[in-house]
Amino acid sequence: MLWTSSEIAAATGGTASIDFAVTGVAFNSREVGPGDLFIALSGESTDGHRFVPQAFAQGAAGAIVAQPVDHPHVLVADTTEALEALARASRARTRATIIGVTGSAGKTGTKEALHAALDRAEPGEAHKSVKSYNNHTGVPLSLSRMPRESRFGVFEMGMNHAGELAALTRIVRPHIAIVTTIAPAHTQFFPSVEAIADAKGEIFQGLEPGGTAIVPFDSPYRDRLIAAARPHAGRIVTFGLNEGADVRAIEVMPSANGSFVVARVGERELSFTLAQPGAHWVANAMAVLAAVDAAGGDLAQAGLALAELDGLAGRGAQHDVVVEDGTARLIDESYNANPASMRATLKVLGATPAARRIAVLGEMRELGEDSDAYHAALAGPVAEAGIEYAILVGDHMAPLASALEGKIDLVHVPRAVEAGAALDRMLRAGDAVLVKGSNGVGLSALVGALVKRRQPCSI
């Protein structure tokens, strides 16, 4: 049992139509399963009350609604406010150690790796945000789903405007708050990268008294983040790859399938294999170790979890896909992109053994007036990765197409469907192909179609 109707009513100030109990929470009717509470949110494009019958047909045990329905429900004045109230009630009743994660890149991967590390030592005792539910509705949903006896809760928090993280972190009230990295992202909404750092630093405002702030040592915005944390944190811990970090990778031996890492955590050393390739993942792993240590977790078990970590769909999952004369390696980074994550994943492609390296790169969105410069600047990382063929997708990729013209073979297409057709014509055995772009470009459909059609063997 996650919530009873009386607990829901008490938390939200609503009125229960009948006694019921639920085992889960959802606001997307397509995700409702048996025993769930369905929250009928009203948005600009649709009204969740339209999907109440569907939710109950799929097994919902109750609903939060703003208008009476012919099913067990709690009636409230505003369902969005009720979701936030339920989240606050969940946070108030738990004794779990709460960890918040944000950053311009790497926050979902770090959240998943941290959950895996904590769950390996305490199976079933760690709760996490699902998917990338990291906004003003996703964070309260993830909190409201947290089992009442959880020992750890790991919550991803995102933003694209100043002030958003300040609001989210005061709901989550983390004991430990991590900033993974600061980089140009959503620059359309910020005057500078310094302003992005300030917005990410808002996460520290919600720290519980005596809480721990975890800051990227190698970032040029390190001191700015430390200054943001100092009024709120009882302890500030830095992580990174360079000397001086409190949690540091002192030795890294990379391979195509990951890295062997020796890390120093305070006065202790830990050796482990990191399953995910790339220097950015080594940095993420240092943040994970810092958080596990701050939470009083088991570092040895964390190292084992990092060795077992699978790639995430859209965020580094790799597949060996069958082509006409053998197999090709597909690196799926299709979920999102900004200049920093583009450079990091292009390095991963460059380190991947292959007969040819192909990059399918979708435009990076929300970069504002500097968008052309950010796209053109990818020409250097593309060349350094040894890419022989590039498929560029979207109008904003025109500056990169111009910068690469005459240097490598490329095609510039407007949409993901044309990119898929171009890739399908040329992909052959021994190739390694990276697919990456902003989520709105739709490259995940390209990946899904290729994987489904080719009957891949995933790793």
Side-chain angles (χ1 to χ4, degrees), residues 315-366:
R315 292 185 172 89
Q318 298 191 17
H319 307 275
D320 285 330
V321 299
V322 177
V323 294
E324 184 175 347
D325 50 352
T327 62
R329 173 60 57 91
L330 172 65
I331 304 171
D332 176 16
E333 285 277 356
S334 59
Y335 183 78
N336 219 337
N338 60 44
S341 63
M342 277 284 199
R343 289 193 298 270
T345 50
L346 285 167
K347 287 183 180 179
V348 171
L349 178 60
T352 302
R356 295 185 308 170
R357 296 184 181 91
I358 302 168
V360 181
L361 304 179
E363 62 187 13
M364 302 176 289
R365 296 182 175 178
E366 297 184 352

Side-chain angles (χ1 to χ4, degrees), residues 70-312:
D70 294 329
H71 300 280
H73 65 270
V74 172
L75 184 65
V76 299
D78 185 293
T79 54
T80 300
E81 291 179 3
L83 171 61
E84 184 174 316
L86 195 64
R88 292 184 185 277
S90 178
R91 179 64 183 89
R93 76 181 181 181
T94 188
R95 296 184 179 180
T97 297
I98 303 298
I99 305 168
V101 183
T102 194
S104 300
K107 53 185 176 290
T108 300
T110 298
K111 176 257 297 183
E112 293 288 338
L114 179 53
H115 174 266
L118 295 168
D119 188 67
R120 202 181 196 285
E122 303 283 348
E125 300 296 318
H127 174 71
K128 66 176 179 178
S129 305
V130 297
K131 300 182 180 179
S132 290
Y133 281 179
N134 62 20
N135 64 6
H136 67 288
T137 55
V139 170
L141 177 69
S142 296
L143 257 175
S144 68
R145 287 174 163 177
M146 183 166 59
R148 61 183 75 216
E149 300 301 327
S150 296
R151 292 193 57 187
F152 302 100
V154 186
F155 297 95
E156 177 183 340
M157 288 180 268
M159 64 88 202
N160 56 21
H161 290 84
E164 291 178 342
L165 267 177
L168 293 177
T169 191
R170 289 188 172 100
I171 298 173
V172 175
R173 290 166 39 213
H175 298 96
I176 301 163
I178 304 169
V179 176
T180 58
T181 190
I182 300 296
H186 311 298
T187 53
Q188 177 181 344
F189 308 114
F190 292 94
S192 64
V193 182
E194 287 79 6
I196 293 172
D198 292 341
K200 294 296 185 184
E202 292 173 10
I203 192 174
F204 303 127
Q205 296 176 17
L207 275 170
E208 289 287 272
T212 300
I214 298 177
V215 172
F217 181 83
D218 305 327
S219 172
Y221 308 99
R222 174 191 65 209
D223 294 341
R224 200 176 190 99
L225 291 170
I226 289 174
R230 192 170 287 122
H232 310 285
R235 180 179 176 225
I236 298 174
V237 177
T238 59
F239 71 91
L241 309 182
N242 294 325
E243 181 138 12
D246 297 317
V247 178
R248 176 186 166 224
I250 58 177
E251 186 176 352
V252 180
M253 289 181 282
S255 70
N257 297 315
S259 301
F260 177 76
V261 182
V262 180
R264 179 168 292 138
V265 184
E267 300 301 316
R268 293 159 293 172
E269 288 190 6
L270 175 70
S271 301
F272 62 96
T273 299
L274 176 60
Q276 296 303 307
H280 62 299
W281 258 108
V282 178
N284 291 347
M286 297 305 103
V288 169
L289 295 180
V292 169
D293 187 51
D298 188 322
L299 288 173
Q301 292 289 342
L304 292 172
L306 290 168
E308 298 166 350
L309 193 65
D310 291 331
L312 304 175

